[in-house]
Amino acid sequence: LKRRQSRRIRQMASNKDKGLRSEGLLPAVGVGAVVYYLGAASLGTLGLVGVSVGVGYGVGSWAIDKFREKRCQNAMQRLPPAVKVALDQWQAFLASRLPGRQPSPAEAEALFAEFAQLQPSNAQHVQQFVHAHGGSTSAGSARGADV
């Protein structure tokens, strides 16, 4: 019996990359399988493994979101002051025209044209920034709403 169990564990270890891609899920499934094959698994133990997987996944997602947010903040701090002011003015302009929602591509194009009439220097900085990062301020692009 013990030989069969150890053979199964070795087989599981050699096949661990087949099918399961999540780094957090694979160890939990492996631990659950070992506990099951040893015959000591109870519903409580398996439930605890399941909860641990869920918590680990949630914490990992949260950490990645925080990392991305911090990276974005750092990138914004490195921008030239004129670009920061222009982006702030554009955001304030959008918030005054469309409070609480994102514009559609057509709305973004029309609003940007109005913004360019009222604040041409800031509009030029915003347009250069958006184009440098792969966006567009015209409706012909799918990313027009990202202005």
Side-chain angles (χ1 to χ4, degrees):
L1 179 65
K2 292 229 183 226
R3 266 192 226 159
R4 253 191 310 174
Q5 291 171 347
S6 64
R7 193 175 329 132
R8 283 248 200 229
I9 292 171
R10 279 192 300 252
Q11 286 174 343
M12 286 173 29
S14 68
N15 294 333
K16 71 179 180 181
D17 289 335
K18 293 181 180 177
L20 296 176
R21 299 286 180 192
S22 173
E23 292 178 8
L25 184 60
L26 189 59
V29 170
V31 169
V34 169
V35 170
Y36 175 77
Y37 283 118
L38 295 176
S42 68
L43 289 178
T45 304
L46 293 176
L48 186 59
V49 169
V51 167
S52 298
V53 167
V55 168
Y57 181 78
V59 169
S61 297
W62 174 83
I64 288 172
D65 290 343
K66 289 298 178 186
F67 175 75
R68 286 181 181 148
E69 181 180 317
K70 187 66 173 173
R71 189 173 59 186
C72 183
Q73 287 175 351
N74 289 340
M76 289 299 286
Q77 289 174 353
R78 290 191 300 264
L79 288 175
V83 174
K84 284 183 193 179
V85 169
L87 289 172
D88 288 341
Q89 290 297 315
W90 170 237
Q91 289 298 319
F93 181 82
L94 277 179
S96 71
R97 297 295 197 272
L98 301 171
R101 71 177 186 91
Q102 292 290 318
S104 69
E107 288 174 323
E109 182 182 16
L111 288 169
F112 191 78
E114 184 181 346
F115 179 70
Q117 291 288 325
L118 297 172
Q119 300 182 33
S121 177
N122 285 334
Q124 183 180 10
H125 286 299
V126 170
Q127 189 171 33
Q128 289 170 350
F129 176 81
V130 169
H131 288 201
H133 292 87
S136 175
T137 54
S138 65
S141 171
R143 298 184 68 170
D146 291 341
V147 176

